[in-house]
Amino acid sequence: MKIAVAVVLVFFVTGIIGDDFYTSKYDNLDVEGILKNDRLLLSYHKCLLEGIRCTPEGEELRKVLPEAIETKCAKCTNKHKGTVKKVGKFLLNEKPELWNELMEKYDPQNKYRADLERRLKE
């Protein structure tokens, strides 16, 4: 009986710990392919700005982006952080107009922008 309770407790605790991070179900998304394809990139951008015609992964990102920006990606896995850095650097350097629009939407008071841009340049 004690073993059964211990096993249930381990599963319960593991489940809670797993919720401390954003979902990993989109970790295999072809981010490189999206960044290289203006049509796809603009589609995701429009989703993030206006919430229209979002893919499931775009909708998930739209949902967590404000919190991720505010908390410096506290619930991001290492995989998420790598992807954020790749996409952020790309937008900042190659598509600054898209970066600016996202920052105006998700950080209108510029509370986090300078720190985020500094971290992306590291």
Side-chain angles (χ1 to χ4, degrees):
M1 180 68 171
K2 288 181 182 180
I3 293 174
V5 171
V7 169
V8 170
L9 186 58
V10 167
F11 282 117
F12 179 71
V13 170
T14 304
I16 290 173
I17 291 169
D19 289 343
D20 286 345
F21 294 102
Y22 299 126
T23 184
S24 62
K25 77 177 166 183
Y26 302 115
D27 280 2
N28 294 318
L29 183 68
D30 181 15
V31 174
E32 286 288 330
I34 294 168
L35 296 178
K36 291 178 182 177
N37 183 319
D38 281 343
R39 183 185 60 77
L40 285 174
L41 180 60
L42 292 175
S43 178
Y44 277 95
H45 185 70
K46 191 169 191 168
C47 165
L48 293 175
L49 289 181
E50 301 169 19
I52 10 184
R53 293 195 314 243
C54 293
T55 62
E57 59 273 9
E59 189 58 44
E60 181 69 24
L61 178 58
R62 189 170 188 276
K63 203 169 30 174
V64 302
L65 193 56
E67 178 186 60
I69 290 171
E70 184 178 327
T71 65
K72 298 180 184 177
C73 225
K75 291 184 180 180
C76 292
T77 63
N78 287 336
K79 173 84 171 163
H80 296 147
K81 289 176 185 178
T83 301
V84 166
K85 195 158 193 165
K86 179 184 291 190
V87 172
K89 277 184 167 187
F90 176 84
L91 292 176
L92 193 57
N93 296 322
E94 305 297 325
K95 303 283 186 180
E97 68 283 357
L98 299 182
W99 174 261
N100 290 332
E101 289 176 355
L102 288 172
M103 288 295 96
E104 287 170 14
K105 165 99 177 160
Y106 290 98
D107 185 19
Q109 297 172 346
N110 286 321
K111 290 181 181 179
Y112 313 104
R113 185 175 184 158
D115 182 58
L116 179 57
E117 289 178 358
R118 180 190 54 74
R119 287 185 288 126
L120 288 172
K121 291 176 183 177
E122 293 176 344

